[in-house]
């Protein structure tokens, strides 16, 4: 069995940033395993711009952003194995992978899980009707158009107003398709405001809120969809049903962290984030196994993926050099108006500031977030508005954390 | 000129071809779709029924009793995945339902079914802890099992083809004429196949095929059954197939593991206008979830990965119709093969062979007949060490194409090359499970399409989901 100090599973933005951060923390024996033919992950198909404003101070396309990190990996001589699929990770950090040379087993000093996420499929949405060609998850259509050079349809309905759906509405329009409608089940969009403006409004594409696709029609290829408004319980209102002829239905209805390897290793998962439970170093409940990026929580911006991955990379390097972080930990809990808080556990005596990442349960106007331990306020933050589609970050100073008791809660009040 | 022309490459036509391929005969199998197993054979419960259910004295009772062991034996030979997991038929507290359980037990004994026993609810829950606390009396059917219905069909037809059977897909029979002693079978596309004997295994269309020779003594009633398939996370929720006591509409909603490790729930039973009416409906899927929860309350329907509908070819008599044609000699109808048709596929084939022999078809056993088919899943069943050695000889098996189901490029290329060759995306899916997992092909579809394009020498834009017109791509950019 081969041995490496750190094995990074996945060479997308999270895996690359984690590998670089681990290396720069002094652990140079780092390998990255990626199933695709080149690194970059889903960024490779995101040829639109808007990446890097926060992290790199400039606006790049997805492939350009990935390339910045690929070059940094290369510069350090970090080994990357492409077309290499990890098929198993054990709690004692044996990584099994498969490529055209065979099956390899690596005993790792630390493992960083960075497998990303997948799109919710038609089946998981349980849309009724027939099963013709022309129903795509938005990312699959994006891959065909941007990477393979094939067009997927001419007359399009999009279900879900997440960012990929919005980006694809514009992309399909650029390529000559007519986007008839973007339907969103919720009464608000889950996408970034800038994408609603730049991808729909600028092109006159209608966004129908509280609306779903009730049925798919067509035998061989999609011939149309029935859309309908939904009530507050998200049930279809029969009398609002209407038929839209189209040849393509794109689905952009949420992303699911791909935690099959994580589960296989016996790592506990947060039912809300669908990612591992982690501490502020992004270490899972199994020492020496870290997680970051969209496999941990679905992010809005790749810039924040890179930030999170650096924490995991530094954490993994520290584990290799010094072993597990000791000291007291307390749990974090979502309070009023907050859906989840990550990390789910923090060390209170580490002497370091800790940033808490969270999402709200629904859109709010001006709010104040309060981080509390019992009756003690650890931090507050105000926002002019808050929405589930935009992740919030609140930093708690190290001196405030010291002596904090279980649990630390984050809640909001509308101002 | 063929000795036997079989109309319909479902599990019945396919298994008949396989059993007939033992003899020195020229056999042709006609299928209107782009692949085999495209009707009820790809969308049913996949159950090997114990045989307690059919009325004694019916063809169903006889062929079910004979069929179970025959099915397991053939499945072993042709490497079709199955598991003898046993099934439960449950009453939920009412005296009527409990009486039905006892009645089914007696009927099973009369049908000669081995291994039946009646359990109290508590005894059943020891074997199956997720079973509803409301289950009060349970028929334990120990000889029952589960099988993958489309893989069974593919394997049977593959084995038949390896033994010389000719398969013609996209051959929709539109006319059958008898000229002296020869049947002239014409397709909608004008292609002609001639044969001395014809067997009508056309499933939902068997009445229409019968009408082509002037027989109108049966009429297929298409009955749709909707299903929901759940992620492998839910696959070990139960180990037995859990039925509720049957009603007049059929065997009711079941909850069952599949041979591939998923959890299957369904089917409904709704009369529909045509065998092609395979739409799912909100009402149907709601009913599946509601009724499945009656048997196993803990099923987590948030883990559904796909839903589908299959159409049974039922008939008002309730029994199989397997008999010589009335208006013409040397043709056999095999019709109204609804449940337990899959269980009976081998016993039906053997019964039809007897009818053909009675009709005068001479059958000399072939010395060179090969009963076995290469195991298409040999690679995925290997240990890591065996895989490592195999990949070193065959590198294409090292490249994983479908991450959810861990399917390699080598396995996909094999499925496109091996009999019966996969010609489209769904064909690859049914043979390899690529695209069958939790992402439902979101990631692997472009790769699978490229492999089909390469192997079959067609443009990417011409690769289809399931035959004519079902092209995912409309052109190059």
């Amino acid at each position: 069995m081969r041995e490496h100090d750190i094995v990074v599973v996945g060479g997308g933005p999270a895996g690359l940033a984690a590998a670089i951060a681990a290396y720069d923390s002094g652990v140079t024996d780092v390998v990255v395993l990626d199933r695709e033919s080149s690194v970059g992950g889903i960024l490779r198909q995101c040829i639109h711009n808007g990446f890097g404003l926060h992290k790199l101070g400039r606006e790049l396309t997805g492939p350009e952003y990935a390339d910045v990190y690929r070059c940094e990996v290369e510069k350090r001589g970090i080994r990357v194995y492409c077309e290499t699929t990890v098929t198993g990770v054990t709690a004692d950090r044996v990584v099994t992978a498969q490529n055209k040379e065979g099956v390899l087993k690596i005993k790792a000093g630390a493992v960083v899980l960075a497998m990303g996420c997948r799109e919710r499929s038609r089946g998981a949405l349980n849309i009724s009707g027939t099963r013709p060609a022309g129903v795509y998850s938005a990312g699959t259509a994006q891959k065909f158009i941007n990477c393979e050079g094939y067009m997927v349809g001419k007359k399009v309905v999009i279900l879900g107003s997440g960012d990929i759906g919005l980006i694809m509405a514009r992309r399909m329009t650029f390529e000559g398709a007519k986007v008839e409608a973007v339907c969103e089940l919720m009464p608000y969009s889950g996408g970034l405001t800038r994408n609603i403006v730049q991808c729909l409004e600028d092109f006159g594409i209608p966004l129908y809120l509280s609306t779903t696709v009730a049925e798919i029609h067509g035998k061989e290829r999609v011939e149309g969809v029935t859309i309908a408004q939904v009530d507050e319980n998200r049930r279809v209102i029969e009398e609002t049903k209407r038929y839209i002829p189209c040849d393509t239905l794109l689905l952009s209805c949420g992303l699911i962290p791909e935690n099959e390897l994580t589960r296989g290793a016996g790592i506990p998962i947060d039912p809300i984030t669908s990612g591992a439970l982690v501490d502020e170093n992004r270490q899972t409940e199994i020492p020496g196994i870290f997680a970051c990026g969209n496999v941990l929580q679905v992010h809005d911006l790749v810039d924040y993926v890179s930030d999170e991955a650096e924490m995991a990379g530094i954490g993994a390097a520290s584990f290799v050099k010094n072993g597990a972080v000791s000291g007291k930990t307390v749990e974090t809990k979502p309070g009023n108006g907050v859906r989840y808080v990550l990390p789910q556990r923090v060390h209170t005596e580490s002497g370091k500031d800790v940033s808490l990442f969270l999402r709200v349960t629904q859109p709010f106007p001006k709010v104040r977030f309060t981080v509390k331990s019992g009756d003690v306020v650890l931090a507050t933050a105000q926002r002019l508005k808050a929405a589930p589609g935009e992740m919030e970050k609140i930093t708690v100073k190290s001196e405030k954390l010291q002596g904090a008791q279980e649990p630390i809660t984050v809640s909001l009040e509308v101002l | 000129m063929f000795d036997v022309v079989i109309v319909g490459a479902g599990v019945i036509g396919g298994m008949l071809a396989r059993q007939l391929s033992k003899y020195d005969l020229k056999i042709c199998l006609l299928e209107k779709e782009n692949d085999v197993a495209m009707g009820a054979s790809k969308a049913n419960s996949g159950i090997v029924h114990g045989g307690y259910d059919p009325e004694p004295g019916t063809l169903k009772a006889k062929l079910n009793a004979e069929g179970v062991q025959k099915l397991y034996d053939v499945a072993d030979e042709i490497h079709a995945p199955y598991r003898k997991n046993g099934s439960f038929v449950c009453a939920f507290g009412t005296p009527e339902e409990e009486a039905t359980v006892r009645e089914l037990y007696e009927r099973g004994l009369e049908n000669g079914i081995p291994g039946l026993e009646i359990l109290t609810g508590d005894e059943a829950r020891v074997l199956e802890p997720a079973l509803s606390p409301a289950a009060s009396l349970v028929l334990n059917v120990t000889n029952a099992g589960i099988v993958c219905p489309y893989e069974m069909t593919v394997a049977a037809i593959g084995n038949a083809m390896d033994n010389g059977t000719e398969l013609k897909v996209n051959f929709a029979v539109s006319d059958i004429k008898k000229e002296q002693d020869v049947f002239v079978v014409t397709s909608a596309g004008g292609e002609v196949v001639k044969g001395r004997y014809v067997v009508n295994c056309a499933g939902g269309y068997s009445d229409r095929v019968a009408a082509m020779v002037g027989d109108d003594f049966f009429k297929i009633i298409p009955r749709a059954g909707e299903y929901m398939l759940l992620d492998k996370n839910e696959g070990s929720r139960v180990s037995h197939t859990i039925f509720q006591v049957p009603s007049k509409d059929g065997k009711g909603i079941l909850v069952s593991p599949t041979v591939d490790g998923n959890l299957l729930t369904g089917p409904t039973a709704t009369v529909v206008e045509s065998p092609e009416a395979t739409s799912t409906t909100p009402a149907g899927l709601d009913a599946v979830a509601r009724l499945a929860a009656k048997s196993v309350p803990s099923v987590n329907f948030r883990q559904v990965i796909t839903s589908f509908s299959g159409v049974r070819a039922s008939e008002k008599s309730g029994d199989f119709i397997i008999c010589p044609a009335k208006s013409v000699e040397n043709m056999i109808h095999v019709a109204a093969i609804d449940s337990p048709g899959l269980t009976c596929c081998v016993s039906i084939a053997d019964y039809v062979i007897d009818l053909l022999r009675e009709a005068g078809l001479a059958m000399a056993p072939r010395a060179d007949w090969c009963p076995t088919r290469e195991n298409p899943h040999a690679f995925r069943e290997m240990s890591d060490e065996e895989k490592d050695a195999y990949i070193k000889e065959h590198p294409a098996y090292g490249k994983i194409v479908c991450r959810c189901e861990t399917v390699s490029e080598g396995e996909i290329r094999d499925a496109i090359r091996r009999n019966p060759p996969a010609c489209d995306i769904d064909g690859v899916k049914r043979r390899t499970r690529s695209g069958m997992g939790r992402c439902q092909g979101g990631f692997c579809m472009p790769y699978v399409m490229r492999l089909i394009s390469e192997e079959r020498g067609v443009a990417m834009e011409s690769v289809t989901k399931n035959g004519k017109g079902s092209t995912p791509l409309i052109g190059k950019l």
Side-chain angles (χ1 to χ4, degrees), chain B residues 295-315:
Chain B
S295 302
V296 185
S298 54
V299 173
N300 178 6
F301 280 96
R302 290 181 60 189
Q303 293 287 323
V304 169
I305 59 171
T306 190
S307 50
F308 59 89
S309 177
V311 179
R312 314 164 178 88
S314 297
E315 209 265 345

Side-chain angles (χ1 to χ4, degrees), chain A residues 93-298:
Chain A
R93 304 190 297 280
V94 174
V95 177
T96 305
Q98 190 173 322
N99 62 23
K100 288 194 169 177
E101 268 133 51
V103 175
L104 58 151
K105 284 187 188 280
I106 306 171
K107 172 74 188 174
V111 176
V112 179
L113 302 174
M115 294 86 78
C117 58
R118 65 171 176 271
E119 298 176 281
R120 188 163 280 127
S121 73
R122 181 227 166 135
L125 295 164
N126 235 344
I127 305 171
S128 57
T130 54
R131 308 205 301 157
V135 181
Y136 286 98
S137 61
T140 309
Q142 187 180 45
K143 173 154 186 157
F144 271 121
I145 296 172
N146 292 350
C147 300
E148 314 275 328
Y150 292 98
M151 193 54 179
V152 299
K154 291 192 186 101
K155 225 166 143 67
V156 187
V157 170
I158 299 177
L159 176 60
S161 61
D163 289 310
I164 311 172
L166 300 175
I167 295 284
M168 283 309 293
R170 178 175 65 182
R171 187 79 187 97
M172 296 289 288
T173 306
F174 281 157
E175 293 301 340
K178 175 89 171 70
V179 179
E180 300 287 335
V182 176
C183 303
E184 170 58 57
L185 181 69
M186 303 302 285
Y188 51 85
S189 168
L192 297 170
T193 308
R194 74 171 194 217
N195 281 335
I196 293 179
V197 174
Q198 294 173 6
C199 299
L200 299 188
E201 290 174 8
D202 287 359
F203 296 90
I205 297 168
L207 170 63
Y208 301 112
L209 298 175
S210 297
T211 299
T212 192
V213 171
E215 195 173 351
I216 297 169
H217 307 273
K219 178 158 169 52
E220 292 152 6
R221 174 86 198 192
V222 174
E223 288 163 17
V225 296
T226 299
I227 70 167
Q229 290 172 26
V230 295
D231 62 20
E232 57 276 13
N233 299 317
R234 301 184 213 165
R235 302 293 293 195
V236 164
I237 304 169
E238 286 294 321
E239 54 274 23
T240 64
K241 277 187 174 175
R242 76 186 164 98
Y243 181 80
I244 301 183
C246 60
D247 63 11
T248 305
L249 173 64
L250 297 190
L251 304 172
S252 175
C253 302
L255 300 171
I256 303 169
E258 288 228 281
N259 273 302
E260 281 64 43
L261 293 173
T262 319
R263 285 196 190 86
I267 294 169
I269 303 281
D270 181 330
I272 307 291
T273 60
S274 301
L277 297 170
V278 291
D279 68 12
E280 74 280 10
N281 302 309
R282 302 302 181 265
Q283 179 174 266
T284 67
E285 303 261 293
I286 295 189
I289 304 186
F290 296 75
C292 57
N294 281 354
V295 79
L296 181 59
Q297 60 174 335
V298 176

Side-chain angles (χ1 to χ4, degrees), chain B residues 121-368:
Chain B
D122 287 337
E123 288 168 342
R125 278 181 291 276
V126 170
L127 299 174
E128 199 63 85
L131 185 64
S132 166
S136 56
L137 201 68
V138 173
L139 178 63
N140 181 16
V141 187
T142 57
N143 69 331
I146 49 179
V147 61
C148 177
Y150 43 84
E151 285 210 64
M152 175 62 84
T153 311
V154 166
I157 293 172
N159 185 225
M161 291 171 79
D162 293 345
N163 281 302
T165 294
E166 191 169 326
L167 169 70
K168 287 182 183 290
V169 293
N170 295 311
F171 192 111
V173 173
S174 62
D175 185 50
I176 302 175
K177 278 208 169 51
K178 194 142 185 212
E179 292 173 359
Q180 277 114 26
D181 288 339
V182 175
F183 287 96
V184 180
V185 183
T186 310
S187 77
E191 212 179 329
V192 171
V193 162
K194 293 183 179 177
R196 296 197 296 125
Y197 289 78
V198 170
V199 185
N200 168 14
C201 301
Y205 292 91
S206 53
D207 52 353
R208 281 175 236 189
V209 169
M212 289 174 196
V213 295
D215 276 355
D216 58 359
F217 64 94
F218 64 93
K219 171 104 187 77
I220 296 300
I221 303 167
R223 264 190 326 137
E226 296 181 43
Y227 293 87
M228 285 193 274
L229 185 74
L230 285 81
D231 194 286
K232 289 181 175 177
N233 293 333
E234 285 289 306
S236 51
R237 181 73 59 190
V238 290
S239 62
H240 294 73
T241 301
I242 315 293
F243 291 97
Q244 300 164 3
V245 288
S247 69
K248 60 174 176 24
D249 291 328
K251 296 190 177 80
I253 301 283
L254 60 79
V255 177
S256 180
T258 69
V259 285
D260 296 300
N262 297 85
L263 190 76
L264 183 66
T265 60
T268 53
T270 313
V271 173
V272 289
E273 73 278 11
S274 108
E276 312 277 327
T278 54
S279 282
T280 53
T281 62
L285 299 178
D286 281 354
V288 170
R290 193 178 63 247
L291 292 166
K294 184 181 167 190
S295 302
V296 185
S298 54
V299 173
N300 178 6
F301 280 96
R302 290 181 60 189
Q303 293 287 323
V304 169
I305 59 171
T306 190
S307 50
F308 59 89
S309 177
V311 179
R312 314 164 178 88
S314 297
E315 209 265 345
K316 66 176 186 310
S317 77
D319 203 0
F320 297 149
I321 296 171
I322 308 175
C323 59
K326 297 193 173 162
S327 310
V328 66
E329 285 189 345
N330 297 346
M331 177 162 173
I332 312 281
H333 299 306
V334 187
I337 310 297
D338 56 2
S339 177
L342 172 64
T343 310
C344 302
C345 63
V346 183
S347 55
I348 288 173
D350 290 351
Y351 186 81
V352 172
I353 287 171
D354 287 342
L355 293 180
L356 287 169
R357 197 179 279 120
E358 282 166 28
L361 177 63
M363 288 185 237
R366 282 171 51 177
D368 61 347

Side-chain angles (χ1 to χ4, degrees), chain A residues 6-12 15-16 19 30-34 39 73 78-82 84:
Chain A
I6 296 179
V7 174
V8 179
V9 184
L16 296 181
V30 180
V31 297
V32 178
L33 308 178
D34 192 86
V39 294
V73 163
I78 295 170
R79 275 160 299 173
V80 177
Y81 294 88
C82 284
T84 301

